[in-house]
Structures are given as structure tokens and as C-alpha cells.
């Protein structure tokens, strides 16, 4: 409710860029893994600065419109070095999560901070084989199906009702569908014009 109020009903200020999930482009094959890695951050609102978040929180409190997580761009930055994989540890490895996501340059520090220590692999078996070797690192391993194995020992998995598409890439999906609709409308107009001409010709021949 809070996100909808801030971005739609309240009028989206220039300093508000939308939810993180809407600002990312992810291939369909990697979408579930990235959604799992981001967790609730996928629906957090990206803003220019911490002061913008403070103002928005006051608005939410005064209007009683729920709570929202904010990602102020000015609070992210610096280098986030991912652990170095052991030589030969490539079988079943898809890649580092941050490299599987596309975004505008303005949001890269946010994406890097959230996904720098996340490795994407093909399946749970691969994740369980890799995890024990990196116990001293804050590494999380996520599978293409969205299961997560933390090198601390914790694991997370299962099947929810929401699809990854519900949180990631909605904006790009909507834009692609709108483009497809526009193209279909053009083709339909051309087809209808041809149909009308053919019908007119038939009428002329029958006269």
C-alpha cells in the first residue's frame, strides 16, 4: 500500500525512481535467482538521497499508508569485492549475480552492494558442493530455481505463489507488451484496409 501511495496516488517526485525490481532488466532464465537473491529489496523504492527517504517516511506516517523500504543512492558506493572462486570451480556456475542484471549507471552501486557476494549456480547440488569451501566469506549461493545456500550454513527454498516476473522487470515487460500491441494494431489496420479494398473489388465485379 505504501509503495503504491508514494509512486502513484501521491504523485511520484523526481527524486523517486520506482521499485528496484522495476528498474532492473534480467533475462528470463536468471529472473527467479535474482528475485530470490534480492528478497524484499526487489520492492524497495530507490530514491536519490537519505533526506528524500526521511521526507517520504514522514508522509507515510502522517497519512497512515503503511511502511516502505528505501534505497537511497547516496548511501551506496565503494568497492564490494566478491570472494575469488577456487581454480577449477566453474562446473555448474552461472556467474556472479550482479553481472546478470542490467540497469542504468545511476543504480549500479545499489545493485552491486546488494548482489556483490551472491553467486548463481545451476542447481542445489552445486550450491551444497561449493558452500563449505567459503565458510569464512559472506557468500550466498542461489540456484536458478531460487533456492539459497548461505556459507554460514542456512538454507532457504520452496515454492511460493508469486512468479519472479511479479517483482522483477515489470516496467520492461510492460513496455515490450505495449510495443507489441502497437505493432499488432498497425498490422491489423493494414489487413483491414486490404480487406476493404478486396471487398470493394468483389462488389464492382458483381455489379
Amino acid at each position: 500500500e505504501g509503495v503504491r501511495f508514494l509512486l502513484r496516488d501521491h504523485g511520484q517526485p523526481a527524486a523517486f525512481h520506482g521499485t528496484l525490481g522495476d528498474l532492473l532488466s534480467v533475462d528470463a532464465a536468471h529472473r527467479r535467482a535474482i528475485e530470490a537473491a534480492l528478497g524484499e529489496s526487489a520492492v524497495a523504492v530507490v530514491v536519490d538521497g537519505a533526506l528524500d527517504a526521511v521526507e517520504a517516511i514522514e508522509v507515510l506516517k502522517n497519512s497512515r499508508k503503511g511502511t516502505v523500504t528505501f534505497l537511497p543512492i547516496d548511501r551506496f558506493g565503494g568497492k564490494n569485492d566478491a570472494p575469488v572462486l577456487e581454480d577449477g570451480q566453474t562446473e555448474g556456475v552461472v556467474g556472479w549475480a550482479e553481472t546478470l542484471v542490467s540497469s542504468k549507471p545511476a543504480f549500479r552501486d545499489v545493485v552491486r552492494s546488494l548482489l556483490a557476494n551472491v553467486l548463481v549456480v545451476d542447481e542445489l547440488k552445486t550450491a551444497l558442493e561449493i558452500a563449505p569451501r567459503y565458510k569464512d566469506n559472506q557468500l550466498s549461493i542461489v540456484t536458478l530455481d531460487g533456492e539459497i545456500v548461505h556459507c554460514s550454513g542456512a538454507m532457504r527454498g520452496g515454492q511460493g505463489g508469486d512468479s519472479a516476473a511479479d517483482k522483477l522487470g515489470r516496467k520492461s515487460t510492460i513496455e515490450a507488451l505495449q510495443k507489441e500491441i502497437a505493432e499488432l494494431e498497425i498490422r491489423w489496420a493494414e489487413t483491414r484496409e486490404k480487406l476493404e479494398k478486396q471487398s470493394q473489388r468483389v462488389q464492382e465485379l458483381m455489379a
Side-chain angles (χ1 to χ4, degrees), residues 67-141:
T67 60
V68 173
T69 298
F70 295 92
L71 299 172
I73 295 173
D74 68 352
R75 308 293 287 185
F76 292 87
K79 198 172 182 181
N80 296 283
D81 293 324
V84 178
L85 294 181
E86 296 177 3
D87 292 339
Q89 184 57 65
T90 56
E91 186 175 354
V93 173
V94 178
W96 293 106
E98 65 170 297
T99 67
L100 304 177
V101 174
S102 298
S103 71
K104 291 182 178 180
F107 311 132
R108 287 309 302 173
D109 282 344
V110 176
V111 174
R112 189 177 296 112
S113 295
L114 295 174
L115 297 178
N117 293 326
V118 179
L119 184 68
V120 179
V121 300
D122 56 353
E123 58 182 0
L124 193 55
K125 178 182 176 182
T126 304
L128 292 173
E129 290 175 351
I130 294 176
R133 306 177 191 179
Y134 300 92
K135 283 187 176 180
D136 296 332
N137 296 288
Q138 295 182 336
L139 180 67
S140 296
I141 305 170

Side-chain angles (χ1 to χ4, degrees), residues 26-91:
V26 185
D27 288 344
H30 306 140
R31 194 167 289 177
R32 189 173 296 278
I34 299 301
E35 185 201 30
L38 288 174
E40 289 305 309
S41 293
V43 292
V45 176
V46 179
V47 296
D48 283 341
L51 291 179
D52 299 307
V54 170
E55 292 178 4
I57 289 172
E58 286 302 315
V59 170
L60 289 170
K61 288 167 64 176
N62 294 332
S63 58
R64 298 182 181 274
K65 290 295 184 179
T67 60
V68 173
T69 298
F70 295 92
L71 299 172
I73 295 173
D74 68 352
R75 308 293 287 185
F76 292 87
K79 198 172 182 181
N80 296 283
D81 293 324
V84 178
L85 294 181
E86 296 177 3
D87 292 339
Q89 184 57 65
T90 56
E91 186 175 354

Side-chain angles (χ1 to χ4, degrees), residues 138-151:
Q138 295 182 336
L139 180 67
S140 296
I141 305 170
V142 60
T143 70
L144 293 175
D145 283 337
E147 297 119 345
I148 301 178
V149 175
H150 299 285
C151 289

